[in-house]
């Protein structure tokens, strides 16, 4: 009988994956409601097996719709000022502030500026992340939004 050290196998598999660098200006984007722009960087198509990440740009005085996910999400403010509405509470955020949102907790980000854009970087803790709109109840897989 041969013993297999699974930790070493995992290490070998990870070494065979290639690290990637994503350039924001060269990345394709999708337009969401109200001229909100989203760009995905890390995903299955780029070799990730466990997470999705990207950024969203929200124009002045606009917001993304109230929604929740089937997994954890972390969001950092890269530029601008935001109001994070999380589980019916509103919190002011500025550049460098990070929020962590558990699964199934309704949330959204609002650009509180009248003139400057809000740029946030987000990471979902699952390659199978989905988004459920609180108002409509419709659920979509995050990766499906980028297959258009």
């Amino acid at each position: 009988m041969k013993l297999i050290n699974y930790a070493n196998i995992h290490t070998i598999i990870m070494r065979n994956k290639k690290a990637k660098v994503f350039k924001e200006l060269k990345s394709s984007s999708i337009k969401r409601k109200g001229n909100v722009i989203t760009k995905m960087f890390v995903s299955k198509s780029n070799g990730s097996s466990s997470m999705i990440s990207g950024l969203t740009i929200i124009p002045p005085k606009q917001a993304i719709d109230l929604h929740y996910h089937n997994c954890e999400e972390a969001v950092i403010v890269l530029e601008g000022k935001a109001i994070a509405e999380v589980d019916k509470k509103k919190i002011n955020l500025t550049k460098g502030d990070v929020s962590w949102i558990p699964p199934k907790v309704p949330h959204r980000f609002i650009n509180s500026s009248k003139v400057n854009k809000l740029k946030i970087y987000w990471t979902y803790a699952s390659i199978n992340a989905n988004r459920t709109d609180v108002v409509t109840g419709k659920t979509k897989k995050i990766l499906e939004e980028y297959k258009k």
Side-chain angles (χ1 to χ4, degrees):
M1 175 185 268
K2 184 177 181 183
L3 290 174
I4 299 173
N5 183 334
Y6 287 102
N8 287 340
I9 290 173
H10 181 71
T11 302
I12 292 167
I13 292 169
M14 295 308 286
R15 282 186 192 148
N16 289 334
K17 289 187 177 187
K18 294 182 180 176
K20 299 203 169 140
V21 173
F22 302 94
K23 301 284 188 175
E24 178 185 350
L25 297 177
K26 293 182 179 181
S27 297
S28 61
S29 60
I30 62 166
K31 185 179 173 197
R32 293 168 63 187
K33 184 178 174 183
N35 294 321
V36 172
I37 302 291
T38 296
K39 298 182 177 210
M40 185 178 303
F41 300 126
V42 177
S43 67
K44 272 184 187 177
S45 64
N46 296 317
S48 177
S49 59
S50 62
M51 62 185 281
I52 303 170
S53 72
L55 65 83
T56 297
I57 301 167
I58 304 170
K61 300 302 281 176
Q62 293 191 30
I64 53 177
D65 291 338
L66 191 63
H67 64 281
Y68 60 87
H69 305 285
N70 61 331
C71 63
E72 298 173 19
E73 180 183 19
V75 179
I76 183 169
V77 176
L78 298 176
E79 284 181 39
K81 294 181 180 180
I83 298 170
E85 184 177 334
V86 181
D87 208 15
K88 298 181 182 176
K89 294 178 185 147
K90 293 184 178 181
I91 304 125
N92 291 312
L93 303 175
T94 59
K95 182 179 178 178
D97 289 343
V98 178
S99 58
W100 171 76
I101 304 152
K104 300 189 191 283
V105 172
H107 63 281
R108 69 180 180 150
F109 292 86
I110 304 161
N111 185 343
S112 57
S113 173
K114 293 179 182 177
V115 294
N116 297 315
K117 68 183 174 186
L118 169 63
K119 187 187 290 189
I120 58 174
Y121 187 85
W122 43 264
T123 300
Y124 299 117
S126 171
I127 201 75
N128 297 309
N130 64 35
R131 179 184 298 112
T132 301
D133 185 287
V134 170
V135 174
T136 66
K138 291 183 181 178
T139 300
K140 292 183 183 178
K141 289 189 177 219
I142 301 297
L143 294 177
E144 292 296 315
E145 296 175 354
Y146 297 86
K147 291 187 177 181
K148 297 175 184 176

